[in-house]
Amino acid sequence: MSDKNDKSLLEKMEESQVWKSIIRSGIPRTRRQRMHAILGSVFLHLHPARLPKHAVKVGYTWCMGGLSFFLFVNLTITGILLMFYYRPTVEYAFTDIIDLSEQVPLGIMRELHRWAAHSMVLIVWLHMVRVFMTGSYKPPREFNWGIGVILMVLTMLLSFTGYLLPWDQLAIWAVTVGSNMARATPFLGNEGPGAALLAIGDINLVHVGSDVRFALLGGRFVGEATLLRFYVLHCIAIPFVAMIFMAVHFWRIRKDGGISGPL
Amino acid sequence: MNITALKSLIDALSAPTISFTILTVIFPFIFPPSDWFEKIHRKSGLWRIWTKLGGVIGMILITAFFVIGYFDPYFNKTLTKADNFPIVLMIYSMWFYIWLGMFKAYRNDIRLDQGLKPNEYNDPDDKVLVWPDLVYIEFIALILFQVFLIVWSIIVAAPIEEPANPAATPNPSKAPWYFLGLQEMLVYYDPWIAGVLLPTFIIVGLMAIPYVDINKKGDGYYSFRERRVGMFIFMYGWVVLWLFLIIIGTFFRGPNWNFFGPFEYWDIHKVEALTNVNLSELLWVKWFNQGLPSNILIREGLGFVITGLYLFVLPVILAKTYLKDMYAAYGPTRFVTIMMLGLVMLALPIKMYLRWVFNLQYIVAIPEWFFNI
Ligand code: HEM
């Protein structure tokens, strides 16, 4: 009976029903418990339980893939907080952005979101450079490299669509410069080569009011409809697609035999 | 040398004609793709770039550039724009990580020469537990990065300019920094190529890398010599044709997209003579001394022939002569893919030089069809 009183608070806690229901294996002390800590958690089980030594070294992966994912999660959280305040209309967008730093307590949420977004583009690039330099795209990881390229494009599109939302001069002109190129898409843009061929008799099918640029902007210039379109793309559509590709990316890392390494 | 002279020297050197040429010429001696380049790489001491000393000197040079820039009244304006800070980070981090990768690669190359396994190698039975060995590294990386972001956010306010005004076009209007490479390509190619075709080729080309690179070596560890050609091509595309164009677009392009050295005043009234001519004008007007033919295909015939020769005949000739061995090893599909991607990539610097040397505007100029090359 006496040893019962000798138990520390921690040990008592570990034996309680509540604790055991949440963390089944107890505080990971033994090898077995540590493996279980990874396998039993929905978040951590993205990882295998054991890895070759080089794969956990910062010097090998530079942690860049992990940081890309961290930034994505980070941006989702700060982005949701921004959505509480921001209204995507020409009337309110700009003033809501001003209010974010002037009226909202601890008003650095916009900064956190913007700088994390710039960082993510950079970190994803560095991740690609690392994967190239270690030759990790070679078989059997060819497909996952392709998934990665798509993720990189999505990351840049996310950043680009978000750039418009503050609705200031910087925003609309950067997006105007970017989307003007769509005008020149072969066959699909009104100033693209071949577009004139898509005509029935005298009637052009591809003109200023029907080309890809119009579809992207929801109008002939960057305006109210563009703002709404970019908002939906930025907050819902692209993150949704990116999440699916990330799921495939992570799954394939495991299925392709885990992190690459010399044989 | 005093600081003003140094600044004007840097201004002069930064002109794309000069800086791009220097980078392109020196590049194969830094990432040597063949024995001949390797020999000079060793003899000239350029290999020292990938030693610890080289890494530190690189960092010092970058820092010196930014410090001088910070105290320069003109460069300060570009440098301290909140949205340009990511490019400062880009220059530091790209330099550091490419250096680190090459440093590790060179160490491994020496080990491989001696018949040893690469540094990353470990006994397959000797595994470590993810909890705690990896989880805590990830945790630290995440915390550090979050701290960095918070500090950055407190120090630098996110930019906000005047409310959007569709009637007032800023000069210059710049795309976000990660697209400035593409915007810079607009100087040399029309939007359908610079804004649509080249991005498509970049994406497809990146995705094709694992399928066209049949070199099995260098998988899972840093190495250079075993895959030097692949490394050279990737690094040239990445560093010179992507990152460097972003740097030009950010720091060296002012009003009307004119070139300005980093320490130069952005004069809106700077006029650059527009004397560019099309190949068809050169051919008919200058050489044949007559008017342009009215038939578009005849008018642009020479341009079509040159483009066709470059894209479709050159690969065939190469496959039969200079690259015969490569053709045999890679097979027709891979060979054609590599040629197409490679020639389109090379078309960018080629067009740049045609512009700089001959003031050539378009090789094929059919504005009637929006088809200019
Ligand atoms: C949102 C973007 C991305 C995220 C969140 C992401 C995440 C990750 C993570 C966590 C890893 C594990 C190893 C590591 O940290 O390096 C990884 C590996 C990998 N990534 Fe990505 N990645 C992204 C983009 C890319 C891109 C742009 C590429 C290439 C073009 C790429 C190709 C690969 C490949 C081939 C591996 C396997 C590497 C190996 O086995 O050594 N990924 N990725």
Side-chain angles (χ1 to χ4, degrees), chain A residues 110-142:
Chain A
R110 188 177 158 235
E111 276 75 10
L112 283 175
H113 193 74
R114 194 181 185 96
W115 303 144
H118 283 318
S119 309
M120 184 166 167
V121 173
L122 204 56
I123 297 275
V124 170
W125 285 1
L126 287 167
H127 175 53
M128 182 183 76
V129 171
R130 181 304 271 182
V131 172
F132 186 89
M133 291 189 92
T134 57
S136 306
Y137 57 84
K138 300 191 177 192
R141 296 182 180 79
E142 312 98 305

mmCIF file of all heavy atoms in Angstrom, chain A residues 110-142:
data_model
loop_
_atom_site.group_PDB
_atom_site.id
_atom_site.type_symbol
_atom_site.label_atom_id
_atom_site.label_comp_id
_atom_site.label_asym_id
_atom_site.label_seq_id
_atom_site.Cartn_x
_atom_site.Cartn_y
_atom_site.Cartn_z
ATOM 1 N N ARG A 110 -1.787 40.815 -40.430
ATOM 2 C CA ARG A 110 -1.579 40.976 -41.857
ATOM 3 C C ARG A 110 -0.101 40.795 -42.200
ATOM 4 O O ARG A 110 0.252 40.162 -43.192
ATOM 5 C CB ARG A 110 -2.051 42.374 -42.260
ATOM 6 C CG ARG A 110 -2.043 42.545 -43.729
ATOM 7 C CD ARG A 110 -2.563 43.857 -44.216
ATOM 8 N NE ARG A 110 -1.987 44.004 -45.529
ATOM 9 C CZ ARG A 110 -1.278 45.037 -45.923
ATOM 10 N NH1 ARG A 110 -1.084 46.060 -45.121
ATOM 11 N NH2 ARG A 110 -0.768 45.059 -47.132
ATOM 12 N N GLU A 111 0.754 41.350 -41.363
ATOM 13 C CA GLU A 111 2.194 41.187 -41.574
ATOM 14 C C GLU A 111 2.569 39.709 -41.505
ATOM 15 O O GLU A 111 3.268 39.192 -42.371
ATOM 16 C CB GLU A 111 2.995 41.970 -40.532
ATOM 17 C CG GLU A 111 3.200 43.434 -40.863
ATOM 18 C CD GLU A 111 1.950 44.269 -40.644
ATOM 19 O OE1 GLU A 111 0.977 43.746 -40.052
ATOM 20 O OE2 GLU A 111 1.936 45.432 -41.074
ATOM 21 N N LEU A 112 2.088 39.049 -40.461
ATOM 22 C CA LEU A 112 2.430 37.631 -40.323
ATOM 23 C C LEU A 112 2.027 36.862 -41.574
ATOM 24 O O LEU A 112 2.771 36.019 -42.080
ATOM 25 C CB LEU A 112 1.718 37.024 -39.106
ATOM 26 C CG LEU A 112 2.329 37.361 -37.749
ATOM 27 C CD1 LEU A 112 1.474 36.802 -36.625
ATOM 28 C CD2 LEU A 112 3.738 36.788 -37.667
ATOM 29 N N HIS A 113 0.847 37.176 -42.083
ATOM 30 C CA HIS A 113 0.358 36.453 -43.252
ATOM 31 C C HIS A 113 1.194 36.784 -44.486
ATOM 32 O O HIS A 113 1.606 35.902 -45.222
ATOM 33 C CB HIS A 113 -1.111 36.813 -43.485
ATOM 34 C CG HIS A 113 -1.815 35.911 -44.458
ATOM 35 N ND1 HIS A 113 -2.195 34.621 -44.128
ATOM 36 C CD2 HIS A 113 -2.209 36.097 -45.743
ATOM 37 C CE1 HIS A 113 -2.799 34.067 -45.181
ATOM 38 N NE2 HIS A 113 -2.808 34.940 -46.178
ATOM 39 N N ARG A 114 1.470 38.046 -44.678
ATOM 40 C CA ARG A 114 2.192 38.445 -45.888
ATOM 41 C C ARG A 114 3.625 37.920 -45.879
ATOM 42 O O ARG A 114 4.108 37.360 -46.865
ATOM 43 C CB ARG A 114 2.190 39.967 -46.018
ATOM 44 C CG ARG A 114 2.612 40.450 -47.408
ATOM 45 C CD ARG A 114 2.615 41.970 -47.458
ATOM 46 N NE ARG A 114 2.891 42.469 -48.790
ATOM 47 C CZ ARG A 114 1.950 42.824 -49.675
ATOM 48 N NH1 ARG A 114 0.687 42.689 -49.375
ATOM 49 N NH2 ARG A 114 2.290 43.289 -50.858
ATOM 50 N N TRP A 115 4.309 38.080 -44.753
ATOM 51 C CA TRP A 115 5.712 37.645 -44.733
ATOM 52 C C TRP A 115 5.820 36.129 -44.769
ATOM 53 O O TRP A 115 6.752 35.574 -45.361
ATOM 54 C CB TRP A 115 6.459 38.235 -43.536
ATOM 55 C CG TRP A 115 6.418 39.747 -43.481
ATOM 56 C CD1 TRP A 115 6.333 40.496 -42.348
ATOM 57 C CD2 TRP A 115 6.468 40.679 -44.574
ATOM 58 N NE1 TRP A 115 6.309 41.840 -42.677
ATOM 59 C CE2 TRP A 115 6.391 41.984 -44.027
ATOM 60 C CE3 TRP A 115 6.555 40.553 -45.958
ATOM 61 C CZ2 TRP A 115 6.408 43.143 -44.812
ATOM 62 C CZ3 TRP A 115 6.567 41.696 -46.746
ATOM 63 C CH2 TRP A 115 6.495 42.971 -46.176
ATOM 64 N N ALA A 116 4.863 35.448 -44.166
ATOM 65 C CA ALA A 116 4.879 33.988 -44.261
ATOM 66 C C ALA A 116 4.644 33.558 -45.709
ATOM 67 O O ALA A 116 5.224 32.583 -46.184
ATOM 68 C CB ALA A 116 3.825 33.372 -43.349
ATOM 69 N N ALA A 117 3.807 34.318 -46.423
ATOM 70 C CA ALA A 117 3.528 33.966 -47.815
ATOM 71 C C ALA A 117 4.774 34.131 -48.685
ATOM 72 O O ALA A 117 5.123 33.242 -49.468
ATOM 73 C CB ALA A 117 2.403 34.840 -48.358
ATOM 74 N N HIS A 118 5.463 35.267 -48.514
ATOM 75 C CA HIS A 118 6.708 35.452 -49.262
ATOM 76 C C HIS A 118 7.698 34.351 -48.903
ATOM 77 O O HIS A 118 8.348 33.772 -49.783
ATOM 78 C CB HIS A 118 7.338 36.805 -48.932
ATOM 79 C CG HIS A 118 6.665 37.970 -49.604
ATOM 80 N ND1 HIS A 118 6.259 37.937 -50.905
ATOM 81 C CD2 HIS A 118 6.344 39.200 -49.150
ATOM 82 C CE1 HIS A 118 5.710 39.102 -51.232
ATOM 83 N NE2 HIS A 118 5.746 39.886 -50.181
ATOM 84 N N SER A 119 7.805 34.055 -47.602
ATOM 85 C CA SER A 119 8.741 33.012 -47.178
ATOM 86 C C SER A 119 8.401 31.680 -47.812
ATOM 87 O O SER A 119 9.284 30.922 -48.181
ATOM 88 C CB SER A 119 8.712 32.822 -45.662
ATOM 89 O OG SER A 119 8.872 34.034 -45.015
ATOM 90 N N MET A 120 7.101 31.405 -47.919
ATOM 91 C CA MET A 120 6.734 30.087 -48.432
ATOM 92 C C MET A 120 7.222 29.905 -49.864
ATOM 93 O O MET A 120 7.752 28.852 -50.216
ATOM 94 C CB MET A 120 5.228 29.867 -48.349
ATOM 95 C CG MET A 120 4.838 28.470 -48.786
ATOM 96 S SD MET A 120 3.171 28.036 -48.338
ATOM 97 C CE MET A 120 2.958 26.564 -49.341
ATOM 98 N N VAL A 121 7.056 30.950 -50.685
ATOM 99 C CA VAL A 121 7.541 30.852 -52.066
ATOM 100 C C VAL A 121 9.036 30.509 -52.049
ATOM 101 O O VAL A 121 9.501 29.578 -52.717
ATOM 102 C CB VAL A 121 7.305 32.165 -52.835
ATOM 103 C CG1 VAL A 121 7.961 32.118 -54.200
ATOM 104 C CG2 VAL A 121 5.820 32.444 -52.971
ATOM 105 N N LEU A 122 9.762 31.248 -51.208
ATOM 106 C CA LEU A 122 11.206 31.060 -51.135
ATOM 107 C C LEU A 122 11.578 29.662 -50.626
ATOM 108 O O LEU A 122 12.446 28.991 -51.185
ATOM 109 C CB LEU A 122 11.754 32.122 -50.179
ATOM 110 C CG LEU A 122 13.192 32.522 -50.337
ATOM 111 C CD1 LEU A 122 13.430 32.999 -51.744
ATOM 112 C CD2 LEU A 122 13.506 33.635 -49.359
ATOM 113 N N ILE A 123 10.898 29.235 -49.564
ATOM 114 C CA ILE A 123 11.222 27.952 -48.953
ATOM 115 C C ILE A 123 10.893 26.802 -49.911
ATOM 116 O O ILE A 123 11.645 25.829 -50.000
ATOM 117 C CB ILE A 123 10.435 27.786 -47.631
ATOM 118 C CG1 ILE A 123 10.856 28.867 -46.637
ATOM 119 C CG2 ILE A 123 10.611 26.407 -47.060
ATOM 120 C CD1 ILE A 123 12.058 28.553 -45.838
ATOM 121 N N VAL A 124 9.794 26.923 -50.643
ATOM 122 C CA VAL A 124 9.455 25.871 -51.603
ATOM 123 C C VAL A 124 10.524 25.807 -52.697
ATOM 124 O O VAL A 124 10.941 24.726 -53.113
ATOM 125 C CB VAL A 124 8.048 26.099 -52.201
ATOM 126 C CG1 VAL A 124 7.789 25.163 -53.355
ATOM 127 C CG2 VAL A 124 6.985 25.916 -51.135
ATOM 128 N N TRP A 125 11.008 26.962 -53.124
ATOM 129 C CA TRP A 125 12.101 26.973 -54.114
ATOM 130 C C TRP A 125 13.331 26.275 -53.551
ATOM 131 O O TRP A 125 13.972 25.475 -54.237
ATOM 132 C CB TRP A 125 12.463 28.414 -54.492
ATOM 133 C CG TRP A 125 11.471 29.084 -55.392
ATOM 134 C CD1 TRP A 125 10.306 28.546 -55.863
ATOM 135 C CD2 TRP A 125 11.543 30.404 -55.934
ATOM 136 N NE1 TRP A 125 9.661 29.473 -56.650
ATOM 137 C CE2 TRP A 125 10.393 30.605 -56.720
ATOM 138 C CE3 TRP A 125 12.479 31.430 -55.830
ATOM 139 C CZ2 TRP A 125 10.141 31.800 -57.402
ATOM 140 C CZ3 TRP A 125 12.232 32.614 -56.512
ATOM 141 C CH2 TRP A 125 11.077 32.800 -57.296
ATOM 142 N N LEU A 126 13.671 26.613 -52.308
ATOM 143 C CA LEU A 126 14.865 25.997 -51.719
ATOM 144 C C LEU A 126 14.684 24.483 -51.578
ATOM 145 O O LEU A 126 15.620 23.711 -51.786
ATOM 146 C CB LEU A 126 15.156 26.616 -50.347
ATOM 147 C CG LEU A 126 15.717 28.033 -50.391
ATOM 148 C CD1 LEU A 126 15.680 28.670 -49.015
ATOM 149 C CD2 LEU A 126 17.145 28.031 -50.915
ATOM 150 N N HIS A 127 13.462 24.073 -51.250
ATOM 151 C CA HIS A 127 13.164 22.641 -51.160
ATOM 152 C C HIS A 127 13.433 21.967 -52.508
ATOM 153 O O HIS A 127 14.067 20.919 -52.575
ATOM 154 C CB HIS A 127 11.707 22.478 -50.738
ATOM 155 C CG HIS A 127 11.205 21.062 -50.721
ATOM 156 N ND1 HIS A 127 11.841 20.049 -50.033
ATOM 157 C CD2 HIS A 127 10.109 20.492 -51.290
ATOM 158 C CE1 HIS A 127 11.145 18.927 -50.194
ATOM 159 N NE2 HIS A 127 10.105 19.166 -50.958
ATOM 160 N N MET A 128 12.998 22.625 -53.582
ATOM 161 C CA MET A 128 13.231 22.051 -54.903
ATOM 162 C C MET A 128 14.729 21.955 -55.199
ATOM 163 O O MET A 128 15.205 20.942 -55.715
ATOM 164 C CB MET A 128 12.542 22.886 -55.974
ATOM 165 C CG MET A 128 12.704 22.308 -57.358
ATOM 166 S SD MET A 128 11.962 23.319 -58.626
ATOM 167 C CE MET A 128 13.148 24.628 -58.749
ATOM 168 N N VAL A 129 15.460 23.009 -54.854
ATOM 169 C CA VAL A 129 16.910 22.991 -55.093
ATOM 170 C C VAL A 129 17.551 21.838 -54.318
ATOM 171 O O VAL A 129 18.380 21.102 -54.845
ATOM 172 C CB VAL A 129 17.550 24.341 -54.703
ATOM 173 C CG1 VAL A 129 19.057 24.260 -54.729
ATOM 174 C CG2 VAL A 129 17.075 25.431 -55.633
ATOM 175 N N ARG A 130 17.137 21.655 -53.074
ATOM 176 C CA ARG A 130 17.683 20.542 -52.275
ATOM 177 C C ARG A 130 17.366 19.210 -52.947
ATOM 178 O O ARG A 130 18.264 18.382 -53.139
ATOM 179 C CB ARG A 130 17.067 20.615 -50.881
ATOM 180 C CG ARG A 130 17.452 19.611 -49.823
ATOM 181 C CD ARG A 130 17.283 18.171 -50.083
ATOM 182 N NE ARG A 130 15.975 17.666 -49.696
ATOM 183 C CZ ARG A 130 15.603 16.404 -49.804
ATOM 184 N NH1 ARG A 130 16.411 15.504 -50.302
ATOM 185 N NH2 ARG A 130 14.407 16.042 -49.435
ATOM 186 N N VAL A 131 16.109 19.021 -53.333
ATOM 187 C CA VAL A 131 15.730 17.744 -53.939
ATOM 188 C C VAL A 131 16.537 17.525 -55.213
ATOM 189 O O VAL A 131 16.987 16.419 -55.499
ATOM 190 C CB VAL A 131 14.211 17.695 -54.223
ATOM 191 C CG1 VAL A 131 13.853 16.459 -55.012
ATOM 192 C CG2 VAL A 131 13.430 17.731 -52.923
ATOM 193 N N PHE A 132 16.777 18.608 -55.972
ATOM 194 C CA PHE A 132 17.582 18.430 -57.176
ATOM 195 C C PHE A 132 19.012 18.059 -56.823
ATOM 196 O O PHE A 132 19.591 17.133 -57.395
ATOM 197 C CB PHE A 132 17.579 19.686 -58.055
ATOM 198 C CG PHE A 132 18.282 19.436 -59.356
ATOM 199 C CD1 PHE A 132 17.584 18.947 -60.440
ATOM 200 C CD2 PHE A 132 19.659 19.614 -59.476
ATOM 201 C CE1 PHE A 132 18.236 18.645 -61.622
ATOM 202 C CE2 PHE A 132 20.317 19.318 -60.662
ATOM 203 C CZ PHE A 132 19.603 18.833 -61.729
ATOM 204 N N MET A 133 19.599 18.781 -55.869
ATOM 205 C CA MET A 133 21.019 18.579 -55.583
ATOM 206 C C MET A 133 21.309 17.202 -54.989
ATOM 207 O O MET A 133 22.405 16.680 -55.144
ATOM 208 C CB MET A 133 21.540 19.675 -54.661
ATOM 209 C CG MET A 133 21.589 21.024 -55.355
ATOM 210 S SD MET A 133 22.418 22.276 -54.392
ATOM 211 C CE MET A 133 24.088 22.139 -54.987
ATOM 212 N N THR A 134 20.338 16.606 -54.297
ATOM 213 C CA THR A 134 20.568 15.247 -53.799
ATOM 214 C C THR A 134 20.067 14.217 -54.800
ATOM 215 O O THR A 134 20.001 13.034 -54.484
ATOM 216 C CB THR A 134 19.872 15.016 -52.443
ATOM 217 O OG1 THR A 134 18.484 15.289 -52.606
ATOM 218 C CG2 THR A 134 20.448 15.899 -51.369
ATOM 219 N N GLY A 135 19.668 14.659 -55.987
ATOM 220 C CA GLY A 135 19.212 13.714 -57.005
ATOM 221 C C GLY A 135 18.004 12.909 -56.570
ATOM 222 O O GLY A 135 17.780 11.795 -57.049
ATOM 223 N N SER A 136 17.196 13.452 -55.673
ATOM 224 C CA SER A 136 16.106 12.662 -55.096
ATOM 225 C C SER A 136 14.907 12.514 -56.015
ATOM 226 O O SER A 136 13.933 11.878 -55.650
ATOM 227 C CB SER A 136 15.652 13.281 -53.777
ATOM 228 O OG SER A 136 16.743 13.431 -52.915
ATOM 229 N N TYR A 137 14.986 13.114 -57.230
ATOM 230 C CA TYR A 137 13.876 12.955 -58.167
ATOM 231 C C TYR A 137 14.024 11.683 -58.982
ATOM 232 O O TYR A 137 13.164 11.327 -59.758
ATOM 233 C CB TYR A 137 13.819 14.160 -59.106
ATOM 234 C CG TYR A 137 15.105 14.361 -59.864
ATOM 235 C CD1 TYR A 137 15.342 13.659 -61.038
ATOM 236 C CD2 TYR A 137 16.095 15.214 -59.385
ATOM 237 C CE1 TYR A 137 16.534 13.810 -61.733
ATOM 238 C CE2 TYR A 137 17.277 15.372 -60.066
ATOM 239 C CZ TYR A 137 17.497 14.666 -61.228
ATOM 240 O OH TYR A 137 18.686 14.810 -61.893
ATOM 241 N N LYS A 138 15.174 11.000 -58.814
ATOM 242 C CA LYS A 138 15.428 9.830 -59.655
ATOM 243 C C LYS A 138 14.533 8.670 -59.239
ATOM 244 O O LYS A 138 13.996 8.675 -58.140
ATOM 245 C CB LYS A 138 16.908 9.469 -59.553
ATOM 246 C CG LYS A 138 17.750 10.648 -60.045
ATOM 247 C CD LYS A 138 19.196 10.333 -60.236
ATOM 248 C CE LYS A 138 19.872 11.580 -60.807
ATOM 249 N NZ LYS A 138 21.197 11.353 -61.303
ATOM 250 N N PRO A 139 14.333 7.689 -60.119
ATOM 251 C CA PRO A 139 13.424 6.601 -59.799
ATOM 252 C C PRO A 139 13.709 6.042 -58.412
ATOM 253 O O PRO A 139 14.885 5.947 -58.062
ATOM 254 C CB PRO A 139 13.727 5.547 -60.871
ATOM 255 C CG PRO A 139 14.365 6.309 -61.981
ATOM 256 C CD PRO A 139 15.005 7.503 -61.387
ATOM 257 N N PRO A 140 12.724 5.711 -57.599
ATOM 258 C CA PRO A 140 11.280 5.675 -57.925
ATOM 259 C C PRO A 140 10.538 6.968 -57.597
ATOM 260 O O PRO A 140 9.332 6.927 -57.418
ATOM 261 C CB PRO A 140 10.804 4.566 -57.001
ATOM 262 C CG PRO A 140 11.638 4.753 -55.761
ATOM 263 C CD PRO A 140 12.977 5.241 -56.234
ATOM 264 N N ARG A 141 11.201 8.115 -57.512
ATOM 265 C CA ARG A 141 10.511 9.312 -57.021
ATOM 266 C C ARG A 141 10.142 10.280 -58.141
ATOM 267 O O ARG A 141 9.826 11.440 -57.879
ATOM 268 C CB ARG A 141 11.370 10.026 -55.980
ATOM 269 C CG ARG A 141 11.593 9.171 -54.749
ATOM 270 C CD ARG A 141 12.389 9.848 -53.671
ATOM 271 N NE ARG A 141 12.555 8.960 -52.539
ATOM 272 C CZ ARG A 141 13.440 7.983 -52.485
ATOM 273 N NH1 ARG A 141 14.267 7.781 -53.491
ATOM 274 N NH2 ARG A 141 13.496 7.178 -51.441
ATOM 275 N N GLU A 142 10.159 9.821 -59.406
ATOM 276 C CA GLU A 142 9.875 10.734 -60.527
ATOM 277 C C GLU A 142 8.512 11.400 -60.368
ATOM 278 O O GLU A 142 8.367 12.602 -60.569
ATOM 279 C CB GLU A 142 9.844 10.005 -61.871
ATOM 280 C CG GLU A 142 10.973 9.076 -62.175
ATOM 281 C CD GLU A 142 10.589 7.645 -61.879
ATOM 282 O OE1 GLU A 142 10.162 7.369 -60.743
ATOM 283 O OE2 GLU A 142 10.733 6.798 -62.772
#
